[in-house]
Amino acid sequence: MNTCNTAPVIAIDRPKLEGSVAVGDKRRRRIGFSEFGSPTGPVVIWLHGTPGARRQIPCEAREYAEERGFRLIGLDRPGVGSSTAHRYASISEFTSDFQIVLSTLGVDRCSVIGMSGGGPYTLACARFLPDRVVSVGIVGGVAPVTGPDGIAGGAVDNIRSVEPLLTKAGGPIGKAVSAVLSVARPIAEPAIATYGRLSPDADRELLSRPEFKAMFLDDLLHGGSRRMEAPFADLALFVRDWGFRVGDVTVPVTWWHGDRDNIIPYAHGQHMVTLLPNAELVTVPGQSHLSTLGMSVEIIDQVLATWPDESLRHDRTPLSALA
């Protein structure tokens, strides 16, 4: 039953498949995933923003996966949802876990879409796994603020001075936040509404739509109520060296950025596209940070358009390998 477009208060259907994959050298950690759409066909991996978790995928994208016949998989990062808390030394280290997840889920090749804080992780996967990542979509992605690829300004740049605190206290703070969220359902929806009222016009309009409000609420309660350490780990990693140069990413990248983004400045998107050797910038006039999520179908169409026809083969999930 389609529940994504009813109003005023809607419920979000559960993912078709949800669980976690053992990762790490001795497989002692886990990465959570949620799967939507067809169990066969081309695979699109969706990497959530900061904060966020595996269900931070627009309803339109979930429905489109079913209609067009592709697998749409959302992944937690360590320390949120069903994923074990873990500190990477740099963003590049995520790719080892990502590769294990792909192999466990029976995915040979995929496109990867990264929203905001998911952008650096998406680029890392493209840099170190170009044989498996066919194409990339970045939506208002974070740019480096240090090192030779760095650019000043924006919310992430303001984090640099508190990075030592995030590294030391992020875990305890995250546990406290998740403890609050575990009993905070009655106030979670008003909190999202309040955030919307304080946001730019475009974001406020998006958050007023019941399907997006329900998606963020569902993701917050299923991801953040169990663990909420990932956002603090993300912020600490964003301001460090990422472990690779942006210009070494050769996979095709399409970068969407609202020209009124209040979190990640539009200039950061322009900067990144000048560094990437095979990238296109899609300027979204009048849109801010969250509002570009309303373009999810267009974004998916673009990343799948780069697949050669013979590559659209059916990858299947070995269910016996899942938790």
Side-chain angles (χ1 to χ4, degrees):
M1 180 179 69
N2 182 343
T3 60
C4 285
N5 295 317
T6 58
V9 178
I10 64 174
I12 300 294
D13 286 340
R14 290 179 57 84
K16 282 193 168 182
L17 185 65
E18 193 164 41
S20 62
V21 173
V23 297
D25 292 339
K26 297 183 179 180
R27 305 298 192 269
R28 292 179 178 175
R29 297 185 287 107
R30 305 198 74 83
I31 293 284
F33 73 93
S34 292
E35 184 168 326
F36 306 89
S38 171
T40 61
V43 178
V44 176
I45 307 292
W46 190 286
L47 299 184
H48 61 78
T50 304
R54 64 189 181 276
R55 293 192 183 187
Q56 196 187 77
I57 300 176
C59 290
E60 295 169 344
R62 303 178 187 194
E63 294 169 358
Y64 194 50
E66 190 73 35
E67 294 168 7
R68 183 165 173 177
F70 62 90
R71 291 175 69 187
L72 179 60
I73 302 172
L75 297 183
D76 289 330
R77 285 195 285 281
V80 73
S82 297
S83 295
T84 311
H86 177 70
R87 292 291 179 128
Y88 299 121
S90 69
I91 285 170
S92 62
E93 290 190 359
F94 171 74
T95 60
S96 296
D97 289 346
F98 185 81
Q99 184 164 225
I100 293 171
V101 170
L102 293 187
S103 297
T104 304
L105 297 182
V107 177
D108 180 18
R109 287 176 288 181
C110 64
S111 291
V112 186
I113 295 173
M115 170 67 190
S116 185
Y121 296 93
T122 298
L123 292 175
C125 292
R127 165 63 181 87
F128 294 104
L129 303 172
D131 57 328
R132 305 190 76 163
V133 176
V134 176
S135 59
V136 160
I138 305 290
V139 189
V142 169
V145 295
T146 57
D149 295 332
I151 180 172
V156 173
D157 196 20
N158 295 331
I159 298 297
R160 284 196 286 181
S161 62
V162 297
E163 187 270 334
L165 175 64
L166 290 172
T167 300
K168 184 176 181 179
I173 295 172
K175 290 177 182 177
V177 172
S178 63
V180 172
L181 288 174
S182 66
V183 295
R185 187 178 186 93
I187 65 171
E189 187 172 353
I192 292 173
T194 299
Y195 177 83
R197 286 194 293 272
L198 298 174
S199 298
D201 290 345
D203 285 0
R204 182 164 61 250
E205 181 179 349
L206 180 106
L207 288 171
S208 71
R209 292 168 56 180
E211 70 273 22
F212 278 96
K213 185 183 293 185
M215 181 270 290
F216 280 114
L217 180 64
D218 177 66
D219 183 62
L220 179 66
L221 294 175
H222 282 89
S225 63
R226 293 190 61 183
R227 295 185 179 91
M228 203 59 169
E229 298 171 54
F232 304 98
D234 277 356
L235 293 173
L237 289 176
F238 294 159
V239 300
R240 297 180 192 166
D241 185 281
W242 289 5
F244 64 97
R245 293 293 301 274
V246 173
D248 291 335
V249 178
T250 58
V251 171
V253 176
T254 307
W255 191 292
W256 285 263
H257 216 114
D259 63 3
R260 297 187 182 178
D261 194 319
N262 63 318
I263 304 296
I264 309 298
Y266 174 68
H268 285 210
Q270 293 176 304
H271 170 72
M272 292 294 279
V273 170
T274 64
L275 296 177
L276 292 160
N278 190 9
E280 174 189 2
L281 175 64
V282 179
T283 302
V284 193
Q287 299 303 308
S288 187
H289 194 62
L290 296 179
S291 58
T292 47
L293 281 171
M295 303 176 61
S296 61
V297 170
E298 177 183 333
I299 292 164
I300 290 168
D301 276 342
Q302 178 64 31
V303 297
L304 289 180
T306 63
W307 287 62
D309 291 342
E310 64 271 16
S311 296
L312 300 181
R313 62 186 184 78
H314 290 176
D315 291 322
R316 295 186 177 273
T317 303
L319 297 180
S320 61
L322 305 181

Coordinates of all heavy atoms in Angstrom, one line a residue, residues 243-279:
G243 N 42.2 11.7 3.5 CA 42.9 10.4 3.1 C 43.0 10.2 1.6 O 43.5 9.2 1.2
F244 N 42.6 11.2 0.9 CA 42.7 11.1 -0.6 C 42.6 12.6 -1.1 O 42.0 13.5 -0.5 CB 41.7 10.2 -1.2 CG 40.2 10.7 -1.0 CD1 39.6 11.4 -2.0 CD2 39.5 10.4 0.1 CE1 38.2 11.8 -1.9 CE2 38.2 10.8 0.3 CZ 37.6 11.5 -0.7
R245 N 43.0 12.8 -2.4 CA 42.8 14.1 -3.0 C 41.6 14.0 -3.9 O 41.3 13.0 -4.6 CB 44.0 14.4 -3.9 CG 45.3 14.6 -3.1 CD 45.3 15.9 -2.3 NE 45.0 17.1 -3.1 CZ 46.0 17.8 -3.8 NH1 47.3 17.4 -3.6 NH2 45.7 18.8 -4.5
V246 N 40.8 15.1 -3.8 CA 39.5 15.1 -4.6 C 39.8 14.9 -6.1 O 39.0 14.2 -6.8 CB 38.8 16.5 -4.3 CG1 37.6 16.6 -5.2 CG2 38.4 16.6 -2.9
G247 N 40.9 15.5 -6.6 CA 41.2 15.3 -8.0 C 41.5 13.9 -8.5 O 41.5 13.7 -9.7
D248 N 41.7 13.0 -7.6 CA 42.0 11.6 -8.0 C 40.7 10.8 -8.2 O 40.8 9.6 -8.5 CB 42.8 11.0 -6.9 CG 44.2 11.5 -6.8 OD1 44.7 12.1 -7.9 OD2 44.9 11.5 -5.8
V249 N 39.5 11.4 -8.0 CA 38.3 10.7 -8.2 C 37.9 10.8 -9.7 O 37.6 11.9 -10.2 CB 37.1 11.3 -7.4 CG1 35.8 10.6 -7.7 CG2 37.4 11.2 -5.9
T250 N 38.0 9.7 -10.4 CA 37.8 9.8 -11.9 C 36.4 9.3 -12.3 O 36.1 9.4 -13.5 CB 38.9 8.9 -12.6 OG1 38.8 7.6 -12.1 CG2 40.3 9.5 -12.3
V251 N 35.7 8.7 -11.4 CA 34.3 8.2 -11.7 C 33.4 9.4 -12.0 O 33.6 10.5 -11.5 CB 33.8 7.4 -10.5 CG1 32.3 7.1 -10.7 CG2 34.6 6.1 -10.3
P252 N 32.5 9.3 -13.0 CA 31.6 10.4 -13.3 C 30.8 10.9 -12.1 O 30.2 10.1 -11.4 CB 30.7 9.8 -14.4 CG 31.4 8.7 -15.0 CD 32.2 8.1 -13.9
V253 N 30.9 12.2 -11.8 CA 30.2 12.8 -10.7 C 29.2 13.9 -11.2 O 29.6 14.7 -12.0 CB 31.2 13.4 -9.7 CG1 30.4 14.1 -8.6 CG2 32.2 12.4 -9.2
T254 N 28.0 13.8 -10.7 CA 27.0 14.9 -10.9 C 26.8 15.5 -9.6 O 26.4 14.8 -8.6 CB 25.7 14.4 -11.6 OG1 26.0 13.7 -12.8 CG2 24.9 15.7 -11.9
W255 N 27.0 16.8 -9.5 CA 26.9 17.5 -8.2 C 25.7 18.5 -8.2 O 25.8 19.5 -9.0 CB 28.2 18.3 -7.9 CG 28.4 18.8 -6.5 CD1 27.7 19.8 -6.0 CD2 29.3 18.4 -5.6 NE1 28.1 20.1 -4.7 CE2 29.1 19.2 -4.4 CE3 30.3 17.4 -5.5 CZ2 29.9 19.0 -3.3 CZ3 31.1 17.3 -4.4 CH2 30.9 18.1 -3.3
W256 N 24.7 18.3 -7.4 CA 23.6 19.2 -7.3 C 23.8 20.1 -6.0 O 24.2 19.6 -5.0 CB 22.3 18.4 -7.1 CG 21.8 17.8 -8.3 CD1 20.8 18.2 -9.1 CD2 22.1 16.5 -8.8 NE1 20.5 17.3 -10.1 CE2 21.3 16.3 -10.0 CE3 23.0 15.5 -8.4 CZ2 21.4 15.1 -10.7 CZ3 23.2 14.3 -9.2 CH2 22.4 14.2 -10.3
H257 N 23.6 21.4 -6.2 CA 23.8 22.3 -5.1 C 22.8 23.5 -5.3 O 22.7 24.1 -6.3 CB 25.2 22.8 -5.1 CG 25.7 23.0 -3.7 ND1 26.7 22.3 -3.2 CD2 25.3 23.9 -2.7 CE1 27.0 22.6 -1.9 NE2 26.1 23.6 -1.6
G258 N 22.0 23.7 -4.2 CA 21.2 24.9 -4.2 C 22.0 26.2 -4.1 O 22.9 26.3 -3.3
D259 N 21.6 27.2 -4.8 CA 22.4 28.4 -4.8 C 22.0 29.3 -3.6 O 22.6 30.4 -3.4 CB 22.2 29.2 -6.1 CG 20.8 29.7 -6.4 OD1 19.9 29.4 -5.5 OD2 20.5 30.3 -7.4
R260 N 21.1 28.8 -2.7 CA 20.8 29.5 -1.5 C 21.1 28.6 -0.3 O 20.4 28.7 0.8 CB 19.4 30.0 -1.5 CG 19.1 31.1 -2.5 CD 17.8 31.7 -2.4 NE 17.5 32.6 -3.5 CZ 16.4 33.3 -3.6 NH1 15.4 33.1 -2.8 NH2 16.2 34.2 -4.6
D261 N 22.0 27.6 -0.4 CA 22.3 26.7 0.6 C 22.8 27.4 1.8 O 23.8 28.1 1.7 CB 23.3 25.6 0.1 CG 23.4 24.4 1.0 OD1 23.4 24.6 2.3 OD2 23.5 23.3 0.5
N262 N 22.2 27.2 3.0 CA 22.6 28.0 4.2 C 23.5 27.2 5.1 O 24.0 27.7 6.1 CB 21.3 28.3 5.0 CG 20.6 27.1 5.5 OD1 20.4 26.1 4.7 ND2 20.1 27.1 6.7
I263 N 23.8 25.9 4.7 CA 24.7 25.0 5.5 C 26.0 24.8 4.8 O 27.1 25.1 5.4 CB 24.0 23.7 5.8 CG1 22.6 23.9 6.5 CG2 24.9 22.8 6.7 CD1 22.7 24.5 7.8
I264 N 25.9 24.4 3.6 CA 27.1 24.2 2.8 C 27.1 25.2 1.6 O 26.2 25.1 0.7 CB 27.2 22.7 2.2 CG1 27.0 21.7 3.3 CG2 28.5 22.6 1.4 CD1 28.1 21.7 4.3
P265 N 27.9 26.2 1.7 CA 27.8 27.3 0.7 C 27.8 26.8 -0.8 O 28.6 25.8 -1.1 CB 28.9 28.2 1.0 CG 29.3 27.9 2.4 CD 29.0 26.5 2.6
Y266 N 27.1 27.4 -1.6 CA 27.1 27.1 -3.1 C 28.5 27.1 -3.6 O 28.9 26.3 -4.5 CB 26.1 28.0 -3.8 CG 26.2 27.9 -5.3 CD1 25.7 26.7 -5.9 CD2 26.7 28.9 -6.1 CE1 25.7 26.6 -7.3 CE2 26.7 28.7 -7.5 CZ 26.2 27.6 -8.1 OH 26.2 27.4 -9.4
A267 N 29.3 28.1 -3.1 CA 30.7 28.2 -3.6 C 31.5 26.9 -3.3 O 32.4 26.6 -4.1 CB 31.4 29.4 -2.9
H268 N 31.1 26.2 -2.3 CA 31.8 24.9 -2.0 C 31.5 23.9 -3.1 O 32.4 23.1 -3.5 CB 31.4 24.3 -0.7 CG 32.0 25.1 0.5 ND1 32.3 24.5 1.7 CD2 32.4 26.4 0.6 CE1 32.8 25.4 2.5 NE2 32.9 26.5 1.9
G269 N 30.3 23.8 -3.6 CA 30.0 23.0 -4.7 C 30.7 23.4 -6.0 O 31.3 22.5 -6.7
Q270 N 30.8 24.6 -6.3 CA 31.6 25.1 -7.4 C 33.0 24.7 -7.3 O 33.7 24.3 -8.3 CB 31.5 26.6 -7.5 CG 30.1 27.1 -7.9 CD 30.0 28.7 -7.9 OE1 30.3 29.3 -6.9 NE2 29.6 29.2 -9.0
H271 N 33.6 24.9 -6.1 CA 35.0 24.6 -5.8 C 35.3 23.1 -6.1 O 36.2 22.7 -6.7 CB 35.3 24.9 -4.4 CG 36.6 24.4 -3.9 ND1 37.8 25.0 -4.3 CD2 36.9 23.4 -3.0 CE1 38.8 24.4 -3.7 NE2 38.3 23.4 -2.9
M272 N 34.4 22.2 -5.6 CA 34.6 20.8 -5.7 C 34.6 20.4 -7.2 O 35.3 19.5 -7.6 CB 33.6 20.0 -4.9 CG 33.7 20.2 -3.4 SD 35.3 19.4 -2.8 CE 34.8 17.7 -2.7
V273 N 33.7 20.9 -7.9 CA 33.5 20.5 -9.3 C 34.7 21.0 -10.2 O 35.1 20.3 -11.1 CB 32.2 21.1 -9.9 CG1 32.2 20.9 -11.4 CG2 31.0 20.4 -9.3
T274 N 35.4 22.1 -9.7 CA 36.6 22.5 -10.4 C 37.8 21.5 -10.1 O 38.7 21.3 -10.9 CB 37.1 23.9 -10.0 OG1 37.4 23.9 -8.6 CG2 36.0 24.9 -10.3
L275 N 37.7 20.8 -9.0 CA 38.8 19.9 -8.6 C 38.5 18.5 -9.2 O 39.5 17.8 -9.5 CB 38.8 19.7 -7.1 CG 39.2 20.9 -6.2 CD1 39.1 20.6 -4.7 CD2 40.6 21.4 -6.6
L276 N 37.3 18.1 -9.4 CA 37.0 16.8 -9.9 C 37.1 16.8 -11.4 O 36.6 17.6 -12.2 CB 35.5 16.4 -9.6 CG 35.3 16.2 -8.1 CD1 33.8 16.3 -7.8 CD2 35.8 14.8 -7.7
P277 N 37.9 15.8 -12.0 CA 38.2 15.8 -13.4 C 37.0 15.4 -14.3 O 37.0 15.6 -15.5 CB 39.3 14.8 -13.5 CG 39.2 13.9 -12.4 CD 38.6 14.7 -11.3
N278 N 36.0 14.7 -13.7 CA 34.9 14.2 -14.5 C 33.6 14.5 -13.9 O 32.8 13.6 -13.5 CB 35.1 12.7 -14.7 CG 34.1 12.1 -15.8 OD1 33.4 12.8 -16.5 ND2 34.1 10.8 -15.8
A279 N 33.3 15.8 -13.7 CA 32.2 16.2 -12.9 C 31.3 17.3 -13.6 O 31.9 18.1 -14.4 CB 32.6 16.7 -11.5

